[in-house]
């Protein structure tokens, strides 16, 4: 018999039909005469209830049906008598594909997220992780659809890169050299000429520089790929391996860039509300009671836009009025998450886009303002998360860009290919980077970024 996915089955009303479902047992309860089995196959947060009359099955089979076991069930679709479900299956045949012993790590309910992280290979079978992973998939679909519908091309930038000047974070080195027998020159420097690529290479921290090459040829591109940062930040918002979405658009200025960021992120959140209702309801009930309210709020309200300088003034005023922060606030400081969240959650009570940051705390490629002090950067700040997007209008002047590169002592010779965009038909352009997992954090209401990616990579942790 053809298997029906449980998500499809629960929508059916053709009672009396013979059906087949396959999945993993969530719970079994029952009496002497009848067993009720809650079966889940990952297609939905909802289980289907299997009703098994004890007399129809041998004792051995029924004994093997424990939490976590995998079953194939054939039976008749019937209208449910119980509350909370519309249909159930009156079983006629049950095959146990895989038994599951009492040492199954997801046996008990209500385990801590820390415990589940230690058993991340099995946590995907829980309700919470099922919901998060289905939402994660849906967000990826929303992102591709948004850009496709708006004339952007999906552009793949390299994961192994020889440019270490992006400055976005510490890099992981890529080498095939024998680390036990490193050849060094007279100065004690490692000789990479005989390494795989003939030079030092690393895992990418951002696809932006290559993305700019795409945008200044195709008009509008976006990347969506893995990104690596060897920063030793053990926070609930940083991973060593995460996924980033980076649109880059020719002829966009900073205002167009902000409009894009706002429209894009609202589209994604709306997509979740429209397509992930069951999973969001579950998370709203079990993880964060204000989740749905927050998601609706974001799609329905304009983001506040202000300059970094205005943001600092607000924070300084708050401190004057007795608000305490762990880190100091002064013009020129890099805002900490606590400052960003103050602006969003306490002062404006809505998402904020901060622009025109001091050039010292931003990357070399950002367009310089006439004041000589600030650059056309923009960070999108979200409730619970802090920075979710970082972007800018790019410096299109070859002279200004090379001058900044010199000031920062970035090795110019490695940058020749990037600088060629400014030498040959340069144009105004802008772009930004959205951390995929930060978006998933926001949409799911989860508290820790390690719990919105199947297999997290963080300092001292690369299990599974
Ligand atoms: P933060 O200050 O939070 O470390 P950043 O300024 O280093 O962020 P960018 O270099 O601008 O971030 O990267 C663009 C986006 O990528 C960020 O807005 C964020 O959403 C995401 N991001 C950056 N670093 C990480 C990380 N280690 N793990 C997960 N997402 C990240
Ligand atoms: Mn960072």
């Amino acid at each position: 018999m053809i298997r029906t996915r449980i998500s499809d089955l629960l929508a059916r009303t053709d009672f009396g039909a013979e059906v087949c479902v396959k999945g993993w047992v969530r719970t079994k309860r029952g009496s002497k005469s009848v067993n009720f089995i809650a079966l889940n196959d990952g297609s939905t947060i909802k289980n289907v209830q299997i009703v098994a009359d004890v007399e129809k099955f041998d004792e051995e089979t029924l004994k093997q049906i424990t939490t976590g076991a995998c079953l194939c069930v054939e039976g008749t679709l019937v209208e449910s008598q119980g509350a909370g479900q519309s249909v159930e299956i009156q079983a006629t045949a049950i095959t146990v594909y895989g038994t599951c012993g009492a040492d199954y790590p997801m046996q008990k309910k209500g385990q801590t997220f820390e415990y589940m992280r230690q058993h991340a290979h099995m946590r995907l079978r829980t309700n919470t992780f099922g919901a998060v992973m289905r939402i994660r998939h849906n967000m990826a679909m929303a992102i591709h659809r948004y850009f496709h519908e708006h004339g952007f091309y999906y552009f793949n930038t390299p994961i192994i890169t020889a440019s270490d000047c992006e400055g976005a974070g510490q890099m992981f080195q890529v080498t095939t050299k024998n680390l036990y027998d490193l050849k060094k020159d007279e100065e004690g420097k490692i000789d990479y000429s005989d390494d795989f690529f003939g030079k030092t290479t690393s895992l990418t921290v951002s696809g932006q520089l290559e993305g700019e090459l795409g945008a200044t040829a195709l008009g509008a591109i976006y990347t969506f790929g893995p990104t690596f940062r060897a920063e030793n930040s053990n926070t609930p918002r940083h991973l060593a391996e995460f996924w980033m979405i980076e649109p880059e658009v020719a002829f966009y200025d900073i205002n167009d860039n902000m409009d894009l960021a706002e429209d894009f992120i609202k589209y994604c959140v709306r997509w979740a509300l429209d397509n992930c209702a069951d999973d969001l309801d579950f998370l709203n009930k079990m993880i964060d009671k204000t989740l749905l309210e927050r998601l609706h709020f974001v799609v329905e309200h304009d983001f506040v836009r202000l300059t970094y300088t205005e943001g600092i003034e607000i924070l300084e005023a708050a401190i004057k009025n007795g608000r305490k922060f762990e880190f100091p606030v002064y013009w020129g400081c890099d805002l900490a998450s606590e400052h960003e969240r103050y602006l969003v959650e306490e002062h404006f009570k809505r998402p904020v886009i901060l622009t025109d940051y001091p050039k010292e705390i931003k990357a070399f490629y950002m367009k310089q303002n006439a004041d000589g002090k600030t650059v056309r950067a923009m960070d999108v700040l979200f409730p619970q998360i802090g920075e979710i997007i970082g972007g800018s209008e790019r410096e299109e002047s070859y002279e200004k860009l090379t001058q900044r590169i010199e000031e920062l002592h970035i090795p110019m010779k490695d940058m020749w290919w990037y600088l060629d965009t400014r030498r040959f038909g340069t144009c105004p352009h802008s772009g930004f980077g959205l951390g995929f997992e930060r978006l998933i954090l926001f949409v799911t209401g989860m508290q820790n970024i390690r719990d919105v990616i199947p297999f997290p990579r963080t300092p001292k942790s690369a299990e599974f």
Side-chain angles (χ1 to χ4, degrees), residues 117-331:
R117 257 168 246 145
Q118 286 156 12
H119 301 86
H121 60 309
M122 285 287 132
R123 67 178 180 171
L124 302 166
R125 298 233 199 125
T126 63
N127 284 332
T128 301
F129 285 89
V132 169
M133 292 307 143
R134 280 186 295 273
I135 292 171
R136 188 180 163 104
H137 161 80
N138 267 280
M139 288 298 91
M141 297 309 293
I143 288 162
H144 284 299
R145 284 178 78 119
Y146 179 87
F147 287 122
H148 181 69
E149 286 168 7
H150 289 78
F152 289 65
Y153 299 106
Y154 181 34
F155 187 70
N156 300 117
T157 52
I159 288 171
I160 298 175
T161 170
S163 74
D164 59 358
C165 30
E166 216 276 330
Q170 288 296 105
M171 303 183 97
F172 289 101
Q173 200 178 328
V174 173
T175 180
T176 54
K177 284 179 88 73
N178 178 356
L179 298 181
Y180 294 100
D181 182 24
L182 282 175
K183 199 162 82 196
K184 295 187 181 157
D185 66 12
E186 306 85 66
E187 288 168 36
K189 287 209 180 108
I190 299 165
D191 178 11
Y192 284 98
S193 60
D194 63 347
D195 200 354
F196 190 91
F197 296 105
K199 54 166 114 174
T200 45
T201 48
S202 310
L203 296 177
T204 183
V205 291
S206 160
Q208 182 202 315
L209 300 187
E210 290 91 349
E212 287 185 48
L213 300 177
T216 54
L218 297 162
I221 62 94
Y222 70 105
T223 71
F224 187 170
T227 311
F228 307 86
R229 295 191 184 177
E231 47 194 6
N232 203 352
S233 12
N234 257 307
T235 80
R237 290 177 316 282
H238 289 90
L239 290 164
E241 176 180 304
F242 63 101
W243 289 67
M244 186 143 68
I245 297 97
E246 293 181 278
E248 190 72 35
V249 197
F251 318 120
Y252 264 25
D253 67 12
I254 185 82
N255 292 308
D256 301 319
N257 206 26
M258 286 193 274
D259 291 343
L260 174 68
E262 183 168 345
D263 190 52
F264 164 59
I265 213 158
K266 284 179 170 169
Y267 178 98
C268 292
V269 175
R270 208 177 295 119
W271 181 277
L273 287 167
D274 291 346
N275 295 278
C276 308
D278 289 345
D279 288 324
L280 288 177
D281 283 343
F282 172 82
L283 294 168
N284 193 69
K285 205 165 81 194
M286 305 300 291
I287 301 292
D288 179 347
K289 301 242 176 336
T290 58
L291 173 64
L292 283 171
E293 191 187 308
R294 210 160 51 239
L295 298 184
H296 281 289
F297 187 89
V298 161
V299 295
E300 283 156 19
H301 291 84
D302 290 341
F303 297 2
V304 180
R305 301 179 185 190
L306 68 157
T307 65
Y308 167 92
T309 303
E310 290 165 329
I312 291 289
E313 283 163 7
I314 291 168
L315 288 164
E316 283 174 339
I319 290 168
K320 247 199 195 131
N321 285 324
R323 180 68 162 80
K324 295 268 181 291
F325 294 106
E326 187 183 342
F327 297 101
V329 173
Y330 54 93
W331 198 94

Side-chain angles (χ1 to χ4, degrees), residues 8-19 48-49 75-82 85-90:
D8 296 330
L9 186 100
L10 294 177
R12 284 171 62 168
T13 50
D14 53 335
F15 304 117
E18 291 304 308
V19 295
V48 67
Q49 172 153 284
T76 314
L77 189 70
V78 295
E79 201 165 0
S80 180
Q81 308 304 315
Q85 68 238 353
S86 50
V87 305
E88 57 191 35
I89 296 172
Q90 185 72 50

